Amino acid sequence: MACHHEIRDRVYKALELLVQTKPLSEIKVIELCKISGVPRSTFYNIFCDIFSVPQIMWDDLMCPTLYKIGDTLTWNDGHRLMFNNLLENKALFTKIYWESDYNSILEYGYRGASDAVKKNVEKRKNHVWTDEELVELDYAIRALASLTTKWGRDGMVVPVEKIVKIFYDHVPPFLRTLCDN
């Protein structure tokens, strides 16, 4: 029997193929299972629905990158690694970024990034966020999630170093300081 990681990879590859022909919201679990060769019962042991597939893949890609900003990675290093990971999965994410509801990668990535940065800085620096800082964090992460979505929708053609610089230049300096030191 295939291990958990191998099953997820087969589902991810099948989803990449399917999103080339139709939006995520039109893909059925049964067709994803057929193409991946993963039984539906096994699929539902790992994923809760079709929308959770790119979300779990996102978490797999972000755990060693974006979700480490403010902990073991600086603002720039975490984003550089994040964009390189997304670029390696360009065929899937350039299509997934067109989804725009609550289940979208834009919304999911925003929630995950905001939570990770907030918790990492609290833990590593024993930082207590002020209300003003939380507002700025929220708006900065929301804006950066939108920029990431634009980058994906535009085909990921802006070089990684350029997009990392844009991210650096468009975040409040206090946030970079909290994440980098």
Side-chain angles (χ1 to χ4, degrees):
M1 179 174 219
C3 76
H4 193 76
H5 180 73
E6 291 169 350
I7 292 167
R8 286 194 327 227
D9 284 347
R10 286 176 27 207
V11 171
Y12 298 159
K13 285 179 177 49
L15 183 62
E16 181 180 304
L17 290 172
L18 286 167
V19 297
Q20 303 311 309
T21 61
K22 61 177 125 179
L24 179 66
S25 57
E26 293 178 15
I27 297 171
K28 304 294 180 211
V29 169
I30 195 162
E31 64 186 317
L32 183 61
C33 289
K34 182 178 180 183
I35 290 173
S36 67
V38 172
R40 284 179 66 201
S41 60
T42 302
F43 175 90
Y44 284 114
N45 283 333
I46 300 171
F47 307 100
C48 58
D49 58 26
I50 198 73
F51 299 104
S52 69
V53 176
Q55 292 173 351
I56 290 172
M57 183 178 185
W58 176 268
D59 285 341
D60 288 346
L61 296 173
M62 297 307 123
C63 278
T65 64
L66 179 68
Y67 295 169
K68 293 295 184 185
I69 292 174
D71 182 18
T72 58
L73 294 175
T74 65
W75 186 264
N76 279 355
D77 290 342
H79 283 105
R80 183 176 296 108
L81 292 167
M82 175 192 86
F83 284 115
N84 281 319
N85 275 356
L86 291 172
L87 198 53
E88 288 176 16
N89 295 279
K90 182 178 180 175
L92 175 66
F93 282 99
T94 53
K95 300 295 184 181
I96 294 294
Y97 272 119
W98 287 98
E99 300 290 326
S100 59
D101 61 6
Y102 182 80
N103 294 309
S104 70
I105 287 300
L106 165 64
E107 291 297 323
Y108 189 78
Y110 155 72
R111 292 188 302 269
S114 182
D115 289 346
V117 169
K118 184 176 177 237
K119 288 176 187 172
N120 289 344
V121 169
E122 286 172 355
K123 178 182 169 189
R124 190 172 61 83
K125 288 199 158 185
N126 294 319
H127 184 74
V128 177
W129 294 89
T130 67
D131 289 343
E132 182 64 27
E133 287 173 335
L134 288 173
V135 167
E136 288 195 53
L137 172 67
D138 182 52
Y139 276 82
I141 299 295
R142 171 67 72 182
L144 297 178
S146 293
L147 287 172
T148 304
T149 299
K150 179 174 177 21
W151 182 72
R153 288 179 178 174
D154 288 350
M156 300 182 181
V157 295
V158 175
V160 168
E161 286 307 315
K162 176 70 174 171
I163 199 79
V164 167
K165 183 176 181 339
I166 291 169
F167 268 48
Y168 186 83
D169 291 344
H170 289 86
V171 70
F174 86 90
L175 186 54
R176 287 192 311 255
T177 300
L178 284 172
C179 291
D180 289 353
N181 295 328

